[in-house]
Each structure stands twice: as C-alpha cells, then as structure tokens.
Amino acid sequence: MKINIVGGEMSHHEVDEYIKYVNNKYSGRQIKQLDIIIDGEFVDLKCHFKDTDFQRAYRSADYLVNDMEKLNDAKQAEFSEKKRHNV
C-alpha cells in the first residue's frame, strides 16, 4: 500500500493506526493507496482501491441484487420491459 501524507508530518505510529483503521473499515477490499491529508487539527483519509471494477446492481422493490437469476419470473419480466439508460 502506498501512503501519501499531505500538509504536514506524522509519526510512524500514527500512520500505522490510520492504516489499521482503514483496513478494519474496508475489510474485504484491497487498498492500493491511502492519502492522509492533514488540515490543522483534522485529518482526512482518502482511499484508492484495487478492486474498482464496477459490478452492475439491479434494484427490485426496495432491495438490490447483483444477479437477475435471484429474481422470480415476474421481476425478471419487469426488468426486461424497462427502458434502459446509457451509463
């Protein structure tokens, strides 16, 4: 993981704690780069992930599914009749 510290200096211990924090917060995702931006007494963290491939999600009723096969026949028919928007 590449670490960038912007706007000041920080001890190795503090950097290690921020790395531990983002690894816990984003468990299951690989972090390629972490920007630690120091702004006075505040610190902003910006994570850049390795797994940035977009996975399509389908909204059905009030929940999201990532595979149309999980929906029943009626919902599959409803999706096939909807107008598609260019992304």
Side-chain angles (χ1 to χ4, degrees):
M1 175 188 319
K2 181 178 179 184
I3 308 296
N4 295 321
I5 300 174
V6 180
E9 294 183 8
M10 188 174 285
S11 72
H12 289 294
H13 177 70
E14 286 178 295
V15 172
D16 290 342
E17 290 298 315
Y18 284 119
I19 291 170
K20 188 187 310 182
Y21 170 78
V22 296
N23 282 328
N24 286 335
K25 183 173 182 176
Y26 300 109
S27 64
R29 296 188 72 184
Q30 287 188 317
I31 300 171
K32 176 175 60 175
Q33 178 178 321
L34 174 63
D35 297 334
I36 302 173
I37 304 159
I38 302 170
D39 184 16
E41 295 181 11
F42 300 98
V43 173
D44 293 323
L45 301 175
K46 183 174 182 181
C47 295
H48 304 270
F49 300 101
K50 289 183 181 178
D51 56 347
T52 57
D53 294 336
F54 179 77
Q55 184 178 26
R56 184 168 299 279
Y58 301 94
R59 185 169 186 261
S60 173
D62 288 327
Y63 57 92
L64 296 173
V65 295
N66 61 357
D67 186 2
M68 294 288 288
E69 299 299 319
K70 294 180 181 179
L71 301 175
N72 63 29
D73 293 337
K75 282 294 179 187
Q76 287 183 16
E78 180 183 326
F79 274 107
S80 67
E81 295 169 1
K82 286 189 173 192
K83 180 181 176 185
R84 303 280 186 243
H85 299 282
N86 295 333
V87 178

